[in-house]
Amino acid sequence: MNSSELTPSEIMDIAIKEARAALEEDEVPVGAVLLFKDGEIFRAHNRKEKENFFHHAEIIVLKNGLQNKGKENLRNSILYVTLEPCLMCLGAMIEARISGLVFGSYEEKFGGVELLQTLWKEGRYPHKFPFYGGFKKEECEEILKTFFLKKRKK
Amino acid sequence: MNSSELTPSEIMDIAIKEARAALEEDEVPVGAVLLFKDGEIFRAHNRKEKENFFHHAEIIVLKNGLQNKGKENLRNSILYVTLEPCLMCLGAMIEARISGLVFGSYEEKFGGVELLQTLWKEGRYPHKFPFYGGFKKEECEEILKTFFLKKRKK
């Protein structure tokens, strides 16, 4: 899919749509979009229950991006995700050497962004990328709340 | 492979053999063994160059273990690896809920164990596992040194 004319807000809306698709499949609703420099995007949602714990939305888009665009292009990609990534996904982003991260909700228990900043300050993990958290936060949080409310009712 | 009678030292020796196999393939020499409660083990080495950055030794053994033994058994597995794991691999171990980690060399730039401890102290990442670093350190370091010396000569 080529979307060179999409704004960041429209890209996050696609990630949010992916999160909603996860919700309908009874998966923790997280959606991700990987945007390449040429405008091409890859989209996915969490499939942890259907597949396994390696299938976080971020890992799926990174894998698809890598397979289809190659690792050189990954270096100029920006990852959008509705929830703050976990350590595994942040580690994969460092390995992929992406050039930016935008996320929606903050994740207090499993989020790893703050920690990554600490590492960077200590001069570790030489590959740094800028990130922006809290983008379209309310919408992203709403979907997560709906999911956990549904779970509690069951 | 069933190895219920292997000692920790013998298990690390298998990981070291895997690291040597990686060295021969011109891969950063890291080897890993995943030990299940019933004694079965899964072994692998880094295949980052031949495949891609998802193919760290730890990820390969976790994937093989998951496919062959299921996620419930993963919870009682112990991961042996010749080098301190990166964030991606530690994140995968948390997702897998392994019950222990033993590693050889420390990795100053990309190692994530210290960081993980900080998170645990802050009450984040509820799944904790004991780990032991520096096991058979000299042998593990020797293989890495050989690799980087070879690289420099080229």
Side-chain angles (χ1 to χ4, degrees), chain A residues 48 52-54 56 63 66 74 86-88 91-92 95-96 108-111 114-116 119 124-126, chain B residues 48 52-54 56 63 66 74 86-88 91-92 95-96 108-111 115-116 119 124-126:
Chain A
K48 201 176 150 173
N52 59 55
F53 59 79
F54 287 112
H56 285 191
K63 271 202 173 153
L66 176 65
L74 264 186
C86 78
L87 280 194
M88 176 176 73
E95 288 292 323
E108 278 182 27
K109 273 199 168 165
F110 292 96
E114 207 181 300
L115 187 76
L116 192 55
L119 280 182
R124 299 211 278 175
Y125 273 95
Chain B
K48 200 175 152 174
N52 58 56
F53 61 79
F54 287 113
H56 285 191
K63 272 202 173 152
L66 176 64
L74 264 187
C86 77
L87 281 193
M88 177 176 72
E95 288 291 323
E108 277 182 26
K109 272 197 168 168
F110 292 96
L115 188 76
L116 192 55
L119 280 182
R124 298 211 278 175
Y125 274 93

Side-chain angles (χ1 to χ4, degrees), chain A residues 97-108:
Chain A
R97 309 223 179 297
I98 63 164
S99 66
L101 165 67
V102 180
F103 65 89
S105 313
Y106 286 88
E107 166 47 89
E108 278 182 27

Side-chain angles (χ1 to χ4, degrees), chain A residues 44-58:
Chain A
H45 56 265
N46 178 33
R47 292 177 57 82
K48 201 176 150 173
E49 294 304 318
K50 269 196 195 58
E51 303 279 345
N52 59 55
F53 59 79
F54 287 112
H55 290 72
H56 285 191
E58 299 96 312

